[in-house]
Amino acid sequence: MNTTSATPAGPAPVWDVINGFTSYWALSAALDLGLFDALAEHADSGKGLDAKQLAASIGAAEDAPVTVLAETLVALDLLAAVGSRFRLTPVAEHYLVSSAPASMAALVRYSPGPPVAWPGLAETIRTGAPEPAVTADLTALYPALVRATGPTQARVASAVAAELERRGWWPRQPTVVDLGCGSGAWLTALLHTRPSGTVIAVDRPNVLPIAEQAAREVGLREHVITVAGDYLEADLPVAAADVVVLAHVLRAEPAERARRLLARAVELAGADGVVVVVDYTRPDPARTRHDDSGGEDDGVGEDRSAVCVAARHELLLSLTMLASTAGLGVTVADLRAWAEAADAELVDSFEPVPRQHVRLIRSRTPEVTS
């Protein structure tokens, strides 16, 4: 590889990565200080707050440090500045105010997983598995993490219900199996559209109470049957389901367990049901062109750089899985192959919420061929 050129490459990509660490902690500090909530309380005036007012609102002793933080958030497109005043951007208003319906404020803190996982990432990659202490921390973190995912997943689930209705795949009294029910956002959103349905919710013993409470709060607890345990092994009170949900669980599993989990979901869905997979899929394996001798002509295939850049979000989340779980993320090629092995196929995909990819899998029928 030629590393020399008339104009040396600049260090901007390196600085972008270094500054990414600072950017994350700037956002975390702003959330801890209640900065976005403070600005939301004064949003009706349309004027925003100056640094002194903002400092007083969040209990800061001096306004100069608040100015540095607020201006940094402006540079990150998370605040707007007009004159000496700061105010929320539409992104901050929708996703960083704690009371907003689609708030990601809690998710900012918990989505990266256990903080202890990251300094040990090199060793995890070297050995192929995170340290037991990381796994233990992740187990303890799960209840808070699944709560944090709730607002986003509720929006996705509502959109999926509408899509299933449009396709005629959403019966009046459906039986739903939610393998890895987490916050309960999926079961409550689906039951909201079919309150006479039944959901079998499977998850860890320390997570299930969260889903139970979510169902209780909307008056649907009697329609939810909870099953604690490994979603591959747990005995279920039904043999078939109209809809089986696998929302953000496959990428946290090693490939063989993920394959078996999808196979179980397909079996539960049977000939008439549908498996709903929601996940951040990393790019499919690189494709290269083979020369006449049978060897690989490396570098002649697709532009892998462009593929990886386009999938930056998904790759970073796959790395998050690698840092603290036995999973590496999944690819669409994985899903297709696993579905085919289970005599099913991926029939469609859509993105109801930005960066939330939904894939629908159904068993093959005599009318559907590969």
Side-chain angles (χ1 to χ4, degrees):
M1 176 179 177
N2 183 9
T3 59
T4 62
S5 64
T7 304
V14 179
W15 275 117
D16 286 345
V17 173
I18 294 171
N19 290 336
F21 181 84
T22 310
S23 300
Y24 174 78
W25 289 110
L27 176 55
S28 295
L31 290 168
D32 289 346
L33 290 165
L35 186 147
F36 299 106
D37 289 350
L39 287 169
E41 290 176 4
H42 297 84
D44 289 344
S45 70
K47 297 179 180 179
L49 300 175
D50 63 27
K52 185 171 291 187
Q53 294 169 326
L54 188 54
S57 295
I58 63 176
E62 303 286 342
D63 59 277
V66 175
T67 299
V68 174
L69 176 60
E71 289 182 342
T72 300
L73 295 170
V74 171
L76 295 172
D77 291 327
L78 298 176
L79 288 183
V82 180
S84 63
R85 293 175 177 269
F86 300 98
R87 62 190 184 194
L88 298 172
T89 62
V91 168
E93 182 181 359
H94 283 90
Y95 301 112
L96 295 175
V97 174
S98 62
S99 60
S103 179
M104 297 174 66
L107 195 58
V108 170
R109 177 65 72 203
Y110 299 117
S111 182
V116 70
W118 293 104
L121 179 60
E123 187 63 19
T124 297
I125 291 172
R126 186 177 292 116
T127 63
E131 291 289 328
V134 172
T135 303
D137 279 6
L138 181 61
T139 299
L141 184 69
Y142 264 124
L145 175 59
V146 300
R147 285 191 183 95
T149 66
T152 300
Q153 290 309 300
R155 294 169 64 210
V156 179
S158 295
V160 168
E163 179 65 15
L164 296 179
E165 176 77 50
R166 186 185 72 81
R167 291 170 178 265
W169 297 349
W170 196 216
R172 299 311 304 173
Q173 292 184 303
T175 297
V176 178
V177 174
D178 190 350
L179 296 170
C181 63
S183 67
W186 274 84
L187 64 90
T188 53
L190 294 179
L191 284 175
H192 178 74
T193 69
R194 292 290 190 270
S196 58
T198 300
V199 176
I200 292 84
V202 185
D203 216 313
R204 300 164 181 258
N206 65 329
V207 171
L208 276 179
I210 301 169
E212 292 172 344
Q213 181 60 28
R216 191 175 295 112
E217 288 174 356
V218 294
L220 294 169
R221 179 64 185 88
E222 67 273 18
H223 293 273
V224 178
I225 301 170
T226 56
V227 179
D230 184 339
Y231 34 51
L232 267 176
E233 309 296 342
D235 290 329
L236 304 181
V238 294
D242 299 295
V243 177
V244 183
V245 178
L246 293 172
H248 298 289
V249 294
L250 291 176
R251 73 179 188 276
E253 296 289 347
E256 179 56 22
R257 274 183 57 88
R259 182 196 66 76
R260 290 172 54 207
L261 183 55
L262 184 61
R264 186 178 199 192
V266 169
E267 182 180 9
L268 283 166
D272 299 320
V274 59
V275 178
V276 178
V277 176
V278 188
D279 228 315
Y280 304 109
T281 51
R282 56 186 175 83
D284 286 342
R287 296 186 295 273
T288 58
R289 190 174 67 194
H290 293 261
D291 61 29
D292 292 338
S293 65
E296 287 188 352
D297 189 6
D298 293 333
V300 179
E302 65 184 330
D303 183 353
R304 193 63 177 171
S305 294
V307 171
C308 291
V309 169
R312 177 180 178 179
H313 178 70
E314 290 78 9
L315 284 168
L316 287 170
L317 287 170
S318 291
L319 196 65
T320 300
M321 293 295 99
L322 187 153
S324 56
T325 76
L328 294 172
V330 295
T331 70
V332 175
D334 289 332
L335 295 177
R336 290 188 187 280
W338 297 340
E340 183 178 353
D343 199 25
E345 63 182 343
L346 197 163
V347 296
D348 204 357
S349 63
F350 59 103
E351 189 179 0
V353 172
R355 294 184 170 178
Q356 295 286 323
H357 295 279
V358 176
R359 292 176 172 87
L360 305 177
I361 295 174
R362 303 196 82 191
S363 293
R364 286 198 173 98
T365 65
E367 291 76 27
V368 178
T369 60
S370 57

